[in-house]
Amino acid sequence: MKLAIVTDTSADIAETYKTRADLFVLEIPISIDGVDYEPSKMKAEAWFDLMKTSKDAPKTSQPSVAELAILLKTLEKKGYTHVLGLFLPSGISGFYANAFYLQSEYNNMKVEFPETFITARPLGYMVETALDGIDAGKTFDEIKATFEYQRDHDTAFMLVDDLKWLAKGGRLSNASAFVGTLMNIKPLLQFSEEGEVVVYDKVRTTKKSHRGNEEVIVGTDTRWGLQGLCFEYGDTRSCSRAI
């Protein structure tokens, strides 16, 4: 078996994996104030600086389905027998639905794009685990089964100062209930089982939000038996340390 893992730049992948020859990452272009940027070529700090000074909400384009089709043809010619595509969830992007048909286009290569229902660091960890499975000599079915277990047991909670950017960008499915109080709440968000961003809870202060995160962690540990915990932060390292 020769397996390639394909993902997109929404996945937060550790630097040690990024240079692997069997990992392929599709770009998700981002436009800020009319200027297009490639996430793979910028540091996080540069994004934060752009966000602070931008007039409009950033706009993302889908990864290119045509680029993915060309990549798959290239992989087939290079002798790859299997491709596992782990992409941004369909709940927040139309890319998955648009690329779905490609799974049945190749006679000499098994191509599968299972739904991920999540992104950012959890998606990156899934990609890394799949690559570790290749190194361990696991079969495609074993690697896929491990991914499915991770997907069904992983979750992600997000703490933001307000819903401004999520509401403007259309990434929050139930924002309407909070339109009147966007600037006054500290929402705790979650990826739903359908891969959509939903409001898990709302509180009035950052301190209470931190307490809410602690309660979520304890609840998750009680429900599933917590095996791993990862904190990600934007331009708010002090908040991450507080939690």
Side-chain angles (χ1 to χ4, degrees), residues 114-135:
E115 257 282 24
T116 61
F117 301 123
I118 210 161
T119 186
R121 180 55 192 156
L123 179 56
Y125 183 58
M126 293 171 182
V127 169
E128 294 166 10
T129 303
L131 293 168
D132 290 341
I134 295 174
D135 293 343

Side-chain angles (χ1 to χ4, degrees), residues 49-133:
D49 290 340
L50 285 171
M51 289 288 290
K52 289 175 183 176
T53 59
S54 64
K55 297 178 182 179
D56 301 316
K59 298 178 181 179
T60 59
S61 301
Q62 296 179 18
S64 170
V65 175
E67 181 182 339
L68 176 57
I70 293 171
L71 172 61
L72 292 173
K73 289 181 180 179
T74 301
L75 293 176
E76 188 177 35
K77 290 178 180 179
K78 289 184 176 181
Y80 281 90
T81 58
H82 295 74
V83 174
L84 182 62
L86 304 177
F87 305 115
L88 195 70
S90 62
I92 58 176
S93 173
F95 174 74
Y96 179 82
N98 292 337
F100 190 85
Y101 79 96
L102 289 173
Q103 295 176 97
S104 59
E105 293 291 301
Y106 303 91
N107 296 324
N108 301 317
M109 185 171 66
K110 186 173 185 178
V111 180
E112 293 198 20
F113 303 154
E115 257 282 24
T116 61
F117 301 123
I118 210 161
T119 186
R121 180 55 192 156
L123 179 56
Y125 183 58
M126 293 171 182
V127 169
E128 294 166 10
T129 303
L131 293 168
D132 290 341

Side-chain angles (χ1 to χ4, degrees), residues 206 210 233-243:
T206 300
H210 292 170
Y233 56 87
D235 198 17
T236 54
R237 181 176 297 188
S238 60
C239 290
S240 178
R241 288 173 174 169
I243 296 171

